[in-house]
Amino acid sequence: MTGDEAAPPPGDLLLQAVEGMERPLFVLDADWRFRYINPAGARVLDRTVEGLLGRDVWAEFPEAVGGPFEELYSSVRRTGVSDGVEDWFGPLGKWFRADAFLTDAGLVVTYDDVTERRQMLEERAAAVSAREAAAADAASAAETAERAGRHLMLLGDINLAMTSTLDTDEAVDRFAHLVVPLLADWCLVSVVDPDGTRRDVGRAHSDPALVEAMHRYADARVATNRSSAPVPTALRSSRPVIIPEVTPAHIEAMVGNPVAREELEPLRPSAVATFPLIARGETFGALTLVNGPDRGPHTAEELRTAEIASRRAALALDNARLALANQQVAERLQLSLLSPPVQPDSLELAVRYRAATQGVSIGGDWYDAFLQPDGDTVLVIGDVMGHDIEAAAAMGQVKTLVRGIAFDRLEEPAGVLRRVDHALVGLAVPAMATALVCRIEQTLDERTAGVRRLRWSTAGHPDPMMLRPDGTVDDLVAPVGPPLGIGWLGPRSDGVVEMPEGSTLLLFTDGLFERRGIPLDEGRERVREVLVRSARLPLDALCDRLLVEMLGKGVEDDVAVLAVRAHPVHAGRPAEAGPEVLPPVVPHLT
């Protein structure tokens, strides 16, 4: 479109943009009347297009009044901030996912029937509930079986102490110290590592004078236990082994090494009870309770409590192992998705990512920086709704699409966003995301003159900021297009500005400045103030200060930051920028 051509009316533009969309969509005017609804949208609502156009949405669907959908539409219209909600709508007997954003044409709502996915989630929740119910049954059996108040308190203490740490060795040691002296004079807790190695991790004795003797015996027994000893037997059979009265024959059957038997003598074992640690059908350890001659055999009450305690401890240990494994998977996934940026020529790049305080340390925010075949540097930052494994998986798909399309097409940022948006819808990627794509451009003549240009386009993402050499900060404002994932067919625009030597470009996700109860403008102003005070800092120090002052210790949302400093073109790369990092080969496409 040339500058002399008149822009099409907003209504016509909206119809052109949404006519071919496969995703359900409607537009509400200022009086909450259906200004437009596409056939897919009417079909999902069990209505016809003709039956809804011009009708009041609240009159047509009065059951939605006062509910989450009315709250969403009102909030977006009031604040102008795009948002989404998922909830059950009884009259249609369906779960809906609705996303709304405000345009000049009205309030645009895209939505999906997510009933099938919700049913799957409910089935999964039912399975979890069944497992929790089984654990609750075990707890109920413990309360019924155990009459003594101290034993009941012990079971509670085990739950509290062992579920408050993800360090399995620490949890096992806590367990050992909790059961002594209530259930035995001393105890050893063994765990079997994934490689089959058995370790006596938990060790506790009621007599401080015998603690060292216990450690010496524990160090020796793992390598010298006979296969007929209580622990190997319990691990094989997954059943308790009870020896009410230990005899010399038992000692001979348990400990085959004379040195280990000598280490055992001062401990004077008279009764042994070993319980396997079993969770989800796997035996991965054992609890061994030992009494001296003064205490005698374990009572029936002690044995009942010990068996229940071993079940609870095993479940807590297994949960800790699973949580640790999930955390490691999340960390590896995050590292694979958030790859280190390139460090081209005289540009210095720094990145930061901070996950939300709650939950696994992974989310939908991402950054990326890579070279196009023509040598230009592409910068990307984006935010897929959510901060969990599902959001991270969707983020990986969106990031890959952006990277692949931007590398292959060599288009301006607006064109890249347009293609990515259509690809997300065409490939049925279940994600909605905001994104900002920037390209630092430089022709041969511009390089000779020491000039760089920054071209950018945004899909519903917060505007970037530029810290200029004189210490002033500019908001880089360009026409904002709608988020990715809706198949928007309307125009997307670029902004272009010169990027002078010594300037710093800052890209960030909304988690950096959005806070409950604080206007968005105030949050951005805080970012601006930190940048002004950090103008003379090295780039890494600037990013660190930004996160410390903006986030503190708590993070309400995932945060990604990408900063670029433009060093002089004709000077050597400064030492503070670190080494140049480029792909081995950047092919030039024709």
Side-chain angles (χ1 to χ4, degrees):
M1 181 183 293
T2 66
D4 297 332
E5 294 178 355
D12 292 343
L13 181 61
L14 179 62
L15 288 175
Q16 296 172 15
V18 302
E19 193 62 35
M21 284 181 57
E22 296 181 2
R23 191 175 188 189
L25 177 147
F26 61 75
V27 181
L28 300 176
D29 64 16
D31 295 322
W32 300 106
R33 297 184 180 277
F34 284 96
R35 182 176 182 180
Y36 176 84
I37 183 167
N38 64 4
R43 188 165 52 251
V44 170
L45 295 178
D46 295 343
R47 301 291 185 89
T48 64
V49 173
E50 295 76 11
L52 288 178
L53 285 179
R55 302 296 185 89
D56 187 307
V57 65
W58 310 126
E60 292 298 313
F61 300 99
E63 297 84 358
V65 176
F69 296 110
E70 181 191 19
E71 182 180 349
L72 168 67
Y73 305 160
S74 299
S75 173
V76 173
R77 172 158 285 170
R78 182 177 63 257
T79 65
V81 178
S82 302
D83 204 353
V85 73
E86 187 172 301
D87 203 73
W88 170 259
F89 191 62
L92 297 181
K94 299 177 181 179
W95 280 91
F96 285 98
R97 168 70 199 188
D99 296 285
F101 58 92
L102 196 60
T103 70
D104 293 340
L107 182 69
V108 179
V109 180
T110 62
Y111 52 100
D112 295 287
D113 179 354
V114 295
T115 305
E116 183 175 348
R117 177 173 63 81
R118 290 296 303 221
Q119 289 174 343
M120 292 177 61
L121 292 175
E122 290 172 0
E123 291 173 359
R124 188 186 308 169
V128 172
S129 297
R131 184 163 36 181
E132 292 176 346
D137 290 341
S140 176
E143 293 174 356
T144 301
E146 306 305 329
R147 300 282 190 262
R150 290 187 303 161
H151 286 200
L152 292 176
M153 291 179 61
L154 169 65
L155 298 175
D157 289 344
I158 289 172
N159 284 344
L160 179 62
M162 298 188 68
T163 56
S164 59
T165 179
L166 295 182
D167 186 325
T168 55
D169 283 7
E170 180 182 352
V172 169
D173 189 63
R174 289 181 181 181
F175 180 40
H177 284 83
L178 282 171
V179 300
V180 172
L182 187 58
L183 299 183
D185 287 335
W186 57 283
C187 87
L188 298 176
V189 185
S190 307
V191 296
V192 179
D193 292 333
D195 62 0
T197 302
R198 176 183 144 205
R199 297 182 295 129
D200 284 340
V201 178
R203 307 174 182 185
H205 202 297
S206 59
D207 186 349
L210 294 175
V211 169
E212 288 302 321
M214 176 193 64
H215 284 309
R216 289 193 298 269
Y217 170 67
D219 292 339
R221 85 159 183 165
V222 171
T224 60
N225 263 172
R226 296 184 188 274
S227 61
S228 56
V231 171
T233 301
L235 292 177
R236 284 195 311 271
S237 66
S238 297
R239 301 173 67 88
V241 176
I242 310 299
I243 305 177
E245 185 176 348
V246 176
T247 66
H250 288 120
I251 299 295
E252 180 67 26
M254 288 189 293
V255 185
N257 186 283
V259 175
R261 286 199 295 270
E262 289 179 6
E263 301 293 355
L264 181 60
E265 284 181 5
L267 296 169
R268 303 170 62 204
S270 68
V272 174
T274 298
F275 298 88
L277 300 180
I278 306 172
R280 299 177 178 92
E282 179 186 0
T283 302
F284 56 87
L287 163 68
T288 300
L289 300 174
V290 187
N291 284 345
D294 295 336
R295 183 160 180 162
H298 300 91
T299 65
E301 185 179 49
E302 289 170 345
L303 294 176
R304 285 196 301 269
T305 302
E307 184 171 8
I308 297 169
S310 67
R311 293 175 190 166
R312 293 195 175 188
L315 185 59
L317 287 175
D318 197 45
N319 286 338
R321 295 195 309 169
L322 292 176
L324 181 60
N326 287 338
Q327 183 176 344
Q328 291 171 342
V329 169
E331 290 172 352
R332 292 191 186 101
L333 179 59
Q334 192 73 58
L335 289 174
S336 68
L337 294 177
L338 300 179
S339 51
V342 294
Q343 297 288 347
D345 194 17
S346 52
L347 294 178
E348 178 187 358
L349 282 73
V351 293
R352 296 291 186 273
Y353 175 83
R354 183 83 67 83
T357 303
Q358 301 296 326
V360 294
S361 56
I362 191 168
D365 290 21
W366 89 92
Y367 53 76
D368 200 4
F370 54 91
L371 295 185
Q372 289 181 312
D374 61 3
D376 287 342
T377 300
V378 176
L379 313 170
V380 184
I381 197 160
D383 182 0
V384 174
M385 291 184 181
H387 49 267
D388 53 19
I389 293 292
E390 291 183 1
M395 175 265 282
Q397 297 182 72
V398 178
K399 177 189 173 184
T400 300
L401 281 173
V402 175
R403 172 177 275 241
I405 290 174
F407 184 86
D408 179 67
R409 284 296 180 174
L410 301 182
E411 284 188 304
E412 78 285 356
V416 171
L417 289 175
R418 187 181 307 113
R419 290 183 182 277
V420 172
D421 189 18
H422 297 167
L424 287 174
V425 174
L427 297 174
V429 177
M432 177 171 286
T434 66
L436 173 68
V437 176
C438 303
R439 188 169 70 190
I440 300 177
E441 307 171 340
Q442 192 176 55
T443 65
L444 185 59
D445 291 340
E446 288 171 335
R447 180 173 180 82
T448 302
V451 176
R452 297 182 182 89
R453 278 175 294 108
L454 175 69
R455 188 182 303 273
W456 77 97
S457 183
T458 177
H461 199 81
D463 295 326
M465 292 182 175
M466 182 177 289
L467 172 61
R468 297 191 174 275
D470 62 2
T472 60
V473 177
D474 294 337
D475 287 303
L476 302 185
V477 179
V480 179
L484 304 177
I486 66 171
W488 176 255
L489 298 178
R492 292 187 184 272
S493 303
D494 288 317
V496 182
V497 70
E498 183 177 330
M499 188 174 183
E501 294 180 345
S503 62
T504 300
L505 174 68
L506 185 70
L507 284 60
F508 46 87
T509 55
D510 55 14
L512 182 66
F513 64 93
E514 284 192 2
R515 299 292 180 273
R516 292 191 186 93
I518 299 178
L520 297 181
D521 289 344
E522 288 186 19
R524 287 186 64 93
E525 187 59 32
R526 286 190 58 200
V527 176
R528 184 190 310 277
E529 292 172 359
V530 175
L531 287 178
V532 170
R533 289 187 284 104
S534 308
R536 297 183 180 277
L537 289 179
L539 192 61
D540 279 327
L542 181 151
C543 291
D544 290 339
R545 172 183 284 183
L546 193 63
L547 262 61
V548 168
E549 296 197 15
M550 293 301 299
L551 306 182
K553 294 183 179 179
V555 183
E556 298 177 0
D557 194 5
D558 306 318
V559 179
V561 172
L562 171 58
V564 184
R565 180 157 292 172
H567 293 293
V569 173
H570 298 301
R573 185 176 178 88
E576 69 182 44
E580 186 178 61
V581 179
L582 300 175
V585 176
V586 179
H588 289 266
L589 304 178
T590 59

